[in-house]
Amino acid sequence: MPVIRSAPVKLSARAAAIGESATLRVTRRAAELKARGVDVMDFGAGEPDFPSPKVAVEAARQALADGFTRYTPGSGLPELRAAVAEVYQTRWGSPWKGADSVITVGGKAALFQLALALFEAGDEVVLPSPCWVSFPEQILFAGAHPVTVPTAVDDGFRIHAGPLLDAVTPRTRAILLNSPCNPTGGVISPEDLRQVVAFAAERGLIVISDETYERFLYDVPPASAAALAAEFPDTVVLVGSFSKTYAMTGWRLGYLLGPGPIIRAVENIQSHATSNPTSFAMVGALAALRHAEPEVEVMVAEYRARREIIADGLNAIPGFRLRPPHGAFYAFPEVSACFRPGRENSMAMADYLLEEAAVAVVPGAAFGADDHIRLSFACSRATLAEGLARIAAALAR
Ligand code: PLP
């Protein structure tokens, strides 16, 4: 059959401006090497190495066997929405009910749909930096501008209210927090969080609190925007995920909780975008929420131990600088003292480590911090030991 070529495909300006997620790129390149038989030590993806909780797997399997395979309401299973709201009410005293939530296709979709619901051309969104790769892209995709406020390695990347609030202008629409932070592990204190939310409420701004890593905290007091939702009901939007807490990344389930008008807008967007998240996966998530707390505690304890191992190992590498992260499961050392020709920036350094040492890391440039690289410690202790040894050897060359 003859192939009839047409004019080059013309993409929308929106699509042309967006690139592949750097973390997914590293995962893809590491997978290519693994497929060629290379034994890659993978610190790339933010993906727990634990299996999903047995109760979740069993519940989802049973749901499938029972034929629970049809559309559900677009905003998710009512029982799951109610259970999510109840968890936050019990733990933080938030006023949200099931109807104040939407179950989404991962926390990523919650954030993306929120950006579409809230932001438009000319708006500014203030957020701490370094930050997760998808935040700026999603904000830009919605036509708005990310305004980043630096946090510092010497300060343990703590998120302070003062500099964030100083960055607010008449164009600011929202403040986007992610505590604990991917990639830095930095956290915000309950006092600073209150200050941010109170200020935002006074100005009519929204505070989006991405608490995907909320359960992974090391020796600092927990802070959730849910604790402020009763007092500031029009201001606080909380985003959460089953991916990291329950090692359920592939199930693609997240959620948001917040003010009615925002929830309705996201429901409408979702009704045209994905409709409901996968029916039987939500049954599994409900079981995880109700019964998997023991597994979560085991995982968090293990991450705590690995954090010590990776912090000690990285600090022993000449030129690396790191303070143990306060939360999440990433180490984000400053490595610029090790830059040389051939590994002259974080991207080249990540390529060098992959090619020369078969170690996958994510370049800090992806998060707005070119002097750093990110290593996930959601991997086995054996991977940690071997990977750290390989990095040290490769950089000594
Ligand atoms: N927010 C942050 C800060 C993340 O790091 C991630 C995943 O890496 C997400 C949200 C979204 O996770 P998911 O879409 O798997 O729920």
Side-chain angles (χ1 to χ4, degrees), residues 106-108 111 132 135 178 182 210 212-213 241 243-244 252:
K108 201 175 250 185
L111 289 157
W132 181 48
F135 288 144
N178 171 217
N182 171 10
D210 175 353
T212 292
Y213 298 95
S241 171
S243 291
K244 321 287 177 173
R252 308 307 304 127

Side-chain angles (χ1 to χ4, degrees), residues 156-243:
F157 292 107
R158 276 195 171 266
I159 301 162
H160 297 287
L164 284 172
L165 303 185
D166 287 346
V168 168
T169 74
R171 288 170 170 254
T172 306
R173 178 81 188 91
I175 300 171
L176 172 52
L177 299 174
N178 171 217
S179 171
C181 169
N182 171 10
T184 65
V187 297
I188 193 165
S189 69
E191 297 74 26
D192 280 58
L193 181 56
R194 160 171 280 280
Q195 205 182 325
V196 171
V197 171
F199 178 96
E202 216 178 276
R203 304 282 182 105
L205 310 177
I206 300 295
V207 174
I208 300 173
S209 185
D210 175 353
E211 303 186 4
T212 292
Y213 298 95
E214 179 224 359
R215 300 300 303 275
F216 309 102
L217 265 194
Y218 316 108
D219 310 327
V220 283
S224 173
L228 301 164
E231 198 177 345
F232 303 101
D234 302 324
T235 307
V236 173
V237 179
L238 186 143
V239 172
S241 171
F242 288 89
S243 291

